[in-house]
Amino acid sequence: MIGRAFTEAEHRARVERAREALAEAGLGTCVTFAPEHLYYYSGYDAHTQFSIQALVFGQEGEPTIVLRDVDRANAEDSCWVADQRFYHHGQHDPADLIRAALAERAGPRERIGLCLNSYALPGSFALHLIKALGLADPVDATALIERVRIVKSEAEMTYIRHAAAIAERGLHRLRTALAPGMSEIELTGSIEAAMREAGSEYPAMPSWLSSGTRTRGSHRTPTARRIARGEPVKCEFPGVVRRYHAVTMQTLWCGEPSAEACRTYDAVLASLRAGSRAIADGVPVAKAEEAAFGPLSAAGFATSTQMRFGYGVSAAYPPTWLEGLDITRESADVFRRNMTFVLHSYATSPDGFGIMAGGAYALTDKGLEILSGGDVELMAV
């Protein structure tokens, strides 16, 4: 056993901040289901989210965690919460355990917040639970609970920096292993092996890697396609330590890039740099995306259809590593010290290649810090 990721004191301080957020919204108790929330507040390191699991807490007293009985040993190893209640699949209804835990905390007129916006909460169970609790007008507390996580502690920053160092190992393997004739799957396997060898845990999303004209757009998983000389390779993957993700990305060329590709990469890199320069403590995140879109627009590239400048990243489980921070022109968020996030810029070259640059960043006392990837000139292998 390697020990718990955080002290009980840090977890309890997080719960207190969540209670303050709930109180400001007029809520007395909360039920959250997302594995990243259970990990953040209780320490419970969920393997995945195909079973109902919930954390229940009110303004006073101790939290309760509700889990499937097969996960008892996992809870004993990772979770500081003493009140652990288990159900057997097919025999017990987890809604009964959640309802009982709420009844011990909530008064008859106290408002209950349910974290409804989670991949870990099937719609059918949400409807079942709302009915079991007799809630005529359920309140979604997801955003309240999520906002507490966005500013990182020093302990969290340590894990993220370690994850970023592992991501850099993956980038190094990409640059040294890429060769004409290898398949996208072979190259991805080599990258992932390098990160696993460096200690990376499993990621919340698969590695994305594409080549040639498959690089247009985003979120393409590797195939058996063979990489040819003169083609780009675009990839995105994280290093992961104690569930904390540092997502990095790069576009590089197998052979020599075309003049159009070089011009496009220059615009993408100028966009990334312009957006990065706009980031400082207290600055609205919308300012960063507005700045990032300037160089792309000036170079004649569309910015509205295939790009947002960034998003928060933190402790995560499948199916996503995205955190609640949204770095877009529409967002009302503000940059704060010890936020960690992904920044990236993208454009499609006139000769049909998708080009992306970016990586993991942190805003610290010293300003914006590149953790992995980031501001990298076009590389031809």
Side-chain angles (χ1 to χ4, degrees), residues 165-242:
I166 290 175
E168 282 291 320
R169 293 279 290 271
L171 282 177
H172 177 73
R173 179 64 62 84
L174 163 69
R175 296 160 185 161
T176 56
L178 174 60
M182 70 188 315
S183 74
E184 295 172 350
I185 290 175
E186 289 169 343
L187 180 57
T188 305
S190 183
I191 294 167
E192 291 178 343
M195 292 193 295
R196 283 291 197 173
E197 290 163 5
S200 187
E201 300 170 11
Y202 74 94
M205 288 191 276
S207 298
W208 294 321
L209 187 143
S210 54
S211 61
T213 56
R214 287 192 73 241
T215 56
R216 290 175 297 172
S218 188
H219 307 146
R220 291 198 170 189
T221 53
T223 68
R225 182 186 188 276
R226 299 287 171 179
I227 301 166
R229 187 176 300 278
E231 290 185 336
V233 171
K234 179 165 66 69
C235 60
E236 183 174 357
F237 50 79
V240 187
V241 174
R242 291 300 187 113

Side-chain angles (χ1 to χ4, degrees), residues 97-358:
L97 297 182
I98 295 171
R99 180 175 57 188
L102 283 170
E104 296 165 12
R105 292 164 174 80
R109 297 184 179 180
E110 189 169 272
R111 297 175 72 213
I112 300 170
L114 302 178
C115 292
L116 298 170
N117 188 17
S118 171
Y119 295 104
L121 180 62
S124 58
F125 184 80
L127 292 174
H128 171 62
L129 180 62
I130 290 168
K131 183 178 180 181
L133 297 178
L135 300 178
D137 186 20
V139 178
D140 185 7
T142 309
L144 297 174
I145 299 303
E146 177 70 10
R147 304 306 297 174
V148 177
R149 300 198 309 136
I150 290 178
V151 174
K152 307 301 185 293
S153 69
E154 291 304 321
E156 290 177 286
M157 293 295 291
T158 297
Y159 291 137
I160 291 169
R161 292 183 192 283
H162 187 183
I166 290 175
E168 282 291 320
R169 293 279 290 271
L171 282 177
H172 177 73
R173 179 64 62 84
L174 163 69
R175 296 160 185 161
T176 56
L178 174 60
M182 70 188 315
S183 74
E184 295 172 350
I185 290 175
E186 289 169 343
L187 180 57
T188 305
S190 183
I191 294 167
E192 291 178 343
M195 292 193 295
R196 283 291 197 173
E197 290 163 5
S200 187
E201 300 170 11
Y202 74 94
M205 288 191 276
S207 298
W208 294 321
L209 187 143
S210 54
S211 61
T213 56
R214 287 192 73 241
T215 56
R216 290 175 297 172
S218 188
H219 307 146
R220 291 198 170 189
T221 53
T223 68
R225 182 186 188 276
R226 299 287 171 179
I227 301 166
R229 187 176 300 278
E231 290 185 336
V233 171
K234 179 165 66 69
C235 60
E236 183 174 357
F237 50 79
V240 187
V241 174
R242 291 300 187 113
R243 302 312 314 150
Y244 283 82
H245 287 55
V247 182
T248 191
M249 58 205 68
Q250 186 171 2
T251 305
L252 72 168
W253 241 260
C254 183
E256 290 300 318
S258 67
E260 291 288 1
C262 290
R263 184 179 74 85
T264 304
Y265 194 98
D266 287 345
V268 167
L269 196 56
S271 166
L272 180 65
R273 289 170 174 171
S276 299
R277 286 194 298 269
I279 295 174
D281 189 11
V283 172
V285 301
K287 297 292 185 183
E289 185 168 89
E290 289 172 359
F293 281 176
L296 291 178
S297 297
F301 294 102
T303 60
S304 60
T305 57
Q306 293 182 332
M307 171 185 159
R308 64 171 160 180
F309 186 53
Y311 54 83
V313 68
S314 183
Y317 292 83
T320 182
W321 57 53
L322 273 70
E323 196 182 41
L325 176 66
D326 197 21
I327 305 175
T328 66
R329 288 173 295 182
E330 297 77 19
S331 174
D333 287 323
V334 174
F335 287 111
R336 296 297 183 197
R337 184 180 66 85
N338 275 20
M339 282 183 172
T340 54
F341 38 81
V342 169
L343 300 177
H344 51 21
S345 187
Y346 170 90
T348 302
S349 69
D351 48 358
F353 298 128
I355 294 174
M356 182 169 61

Side-chain angles (χ1 to χ4, degrees), residues 59-75:
Q59 291 298 331
E60 298 179 358
E62 295 291 290
T64 294
I65 193 165
V66 174
L67 301 166
R68 190 177 167 193
D69 54 4
V70 296
D71 296 321
R72 184 185 299 271
N74 196 8

